[in-house]
Amino acid sequence: MNDTSLTPTTPTGHRRSSAVLITGAGGEVGHGLIDALHAQGREEIVAIDIRELEPAMRDKCRETFVGDICDPLLLGRLLAMYEITEIYHLAALLSTRAEYAPESAHEVNVGGTLNLLRLASEQARSHGRKVKFIYPSSIAVYGMPDLDTKAKAGAVTEDEYLNPTTMYGCNKLYGEHLGRYYARHYRQLAQDRIPDVLDFRCVRYPGLISPHTVPSGGTSDFGPEMIHAAAAGKPYKCFVRESARIPFMTMGEAIEATLALGAADAKRLTRCVYNIGAFSPTAGEFADAVREAFPGADISFKPDVQRQAIVDSWPEEVDWSAATRDWDYKPGKGFKQAFEEDLLPPIRARYTG
Ligand code: SER
């Protein structure tokens, strides 16, 4: 598209400054992403979160907003003040939290996503260039029918077993479809339609493990919780059984992959949604590695039937060959190596420092 009829100015006539918008900036992925973008010298980060960001994070942003992505006034202010060229839409209620308040989760996860997609298309219409919209989705979009199928399925492709059992999974799957719709078919019958307003790219994360932050509200949290508890010298009761297996990766690799997809050559991208992942230890193997690193670690297994069922509905492994083919994605290290080299040293430093 190339409609520059509307000049990007503020209501007072000043030229709007360009911005990379990050929603849910205070969450685990937000932390990693702001650090990485700041390290790349990006000075135009504008962040939104429902809570005030820590000062160290705020310092890396041009501006931060405390507010709700469902609030049209806040989004209107953003639209008036900034020329948004790129959006990382991270804000979401994760799978465990969402099961306690499914309708609120729907409001944030679907309503918020719709608001951001609309904001992106209005931005694109106003400044005449496509807006890049990066949307992290999740292994929660899958719904394996039973354990036997899960064990036999191996690495599942992006288009298989899409029958999520959680509100979060349903919301993420629909978010993927909405993004594709806005990118390819938005207002397809309207006379004044401007095609190609959005460059929507979605990466499906496995469970993520950050050495710097402890997750909350998710169902893959048992992995990172186990390591952080052991490093902090606290006992940990794992809420899934030892044989539970889902894919994981380190936060560092997830951020790297997200930025790589964002930077990929659009001509090579054959789809909107890509799986990524790195390793799939069982919860028992996770515990063994943690006990080896922290010999006094007190880890026990007390499966919670409902949360276990959610983990059972997620695949053991995902097939990331489309990401490799289209944007050269390659997972870096295996579980033991990533654990020892990328997770343990910063986690030890965090709890002893
Ligand atoms: N970490 C997410 C959750 O547990 C899944 O991707 O909800």
Side-chain angles (χ1 to χ4, degrees):
M1 70 181 279
N2 191 19
D3 171 9
T4 46
S5 52
L6 290 164
T7 323
T9 54
T10 65
T12 51
H14 294 101
R15 200 178 164 78
R16 294 181 303 181
S17 34
S18 113
V20 175
L21 179 66
I22 303 182
T23 71
E28 285 203 285
V29 177
H31 268 81
L33 193 63
I34 289 176
D35 279 344
L37 289 171
H38 184 258
Q40 287 181 354
R42 304 290 294 264
E43 288 173 357
E44 72 277 35
I45 304 169
V46 172
I48 313 184
D49 199 274
I50 197 84
R51 282 181 219 92
E52 182 97 65
L53 296 195
E54 302 157 15
M57 284 287 121
R58 282 209 304 270
D59 289 348
K60 294 177 182 158
C61 301
R62 167 166 294 160
E63 188 160 11
T64 58
F65 291 85
V66 178
D68 187 339
I69 51 163
C70 297
D71 174 4
L73 290 179
L74 174 65
L75 298 187
R77 260 170 77 204
L78 281 172
L79 198 61
M81 291 168 69
Y82 289 102
E83 185 182 326
I84 296 168
T85 54
E86 228 169 300
I87 297 178
Y88 292 84
H89 175 40
L90 314 177
L93 257 71
L94 294 183
S95 58
T96 289
R97 188 157 298 152
E99 289 312 308
Y100 290 98
E103 290 78 14
S104 309
H106 186 275
E107 229 163 87
V108 174
N109 297 350
V110 174
T113 300
L114 195 68
N115 286 345
L116 265 300
L117 287 166
R118 189 196 291 158
L119 174 100
S121 2
E122 282 172 17
Q123 279 282 325
R125 284 168 70 99
S126 99
H127 57 59
R129 281 187 307 277
K130 270 190 189 186
V131 169
K132 207 176 262 185
F133 196 107
I134 315 291
Y135 180 67
S137 183
S138 157
I139 45 164
V141 298
Y142 291 107
M144 307 306 296
D146 52 66
L147 280 176
D148 194 40
T149 312
K150 169 167 164 155
K152 288 191 181 127
V156 301
T157 66
E158 283 85 352
D159 304 318
E160 298 176 285
Y161 301 108
L162 297 175
N163 292 299
T165 64
T166 61
M167 181 52 115
Y168 173 70
C170 294
N171 296 162
K172 281 291 177 188
L173 186 57
Y174 183 49
E176 295 178 359
H177 286 305
L178 279 176
R180 184 179 48 78
Y181 166 75
Y182 269 76
R184 298 185 181 166
H185 311 289
Y186 184 49
R187 301 180 75 239
Q188 57 194 292
L189 299 181
Q191 297 259 313
D192 60 347
R193 169 177 194 240
I194 302 175
D196 295 334
V197 286
L198 219 69
D199 179 353
F200 177 81
R201 303 178 182 199
C202 167
V203 69
R204 265 190 210 153
Y205 289 150
L208 299 180
I209 315 165
S210 168
H212 307 296
T213 49
V214 186
S216 71
T219 317
S220 60
D221 294 2
F222 65 90
E225 277 175 1
M226 202 184 279
I227 313 178
H228 282 271
K234 294 188 181 143
Y236 185 67
K237 281 193 179 48
C238 182
F239 58 80
V240 294
R241 71 178 103 76
E242 287 182 74
S243 60
R245 190 195 292 279
I246 54 168
F248 279 98
M249 73 195 296
T250 62
M251 183 62 75
E253 272 196 36
I255 300 292
E256 231 173 79
T258 306
L259 293 173
L261 175 59
D265 178 357
K267 290 197 263 337
R268 286 183 61 196
L269 301 181
T270 57
R271 45 184 310 130
C272 289
V273 177
Y274 291 93
N275 280 341
I276 55 168
F279 36 75
S280 294
T282 61
E285 285 161 355
F286 228 109
D288 290 344
V290 174
R291 287 191 189 107
E292 202 180 304
F294 300 97
D298 176 2
I299 302 168
S300 51
F301 287 83
K302 286 257 161 10
D304 168 312
V305 177
Q306 266 93 24
R307 290 183 94 189
Q308 176 71 63
I310 292 177
V311 167
D312 288 344
S313 76
W314 295 348
E316 289 197 349
E317 286 175 61
V318 291
D319 178 336
W320 54 70
S321 56
T324 304
R325 181 193 65 215
D326 289 2
W327 45 281
D328 306 320
Y329 171 70
K330 252 198 289 44
K333 301 173 184 172
F335 172 56
K336 285 293 275 192
Q337 199 188 352
F339 183 75
E340 275 157 27
E341 294 174 12
D342 300 335
L343 297 175
L344 271 184
I347 287 184
R348 283 192 201 282
R350 180 186 152 108
Y351 291 97
T352 52

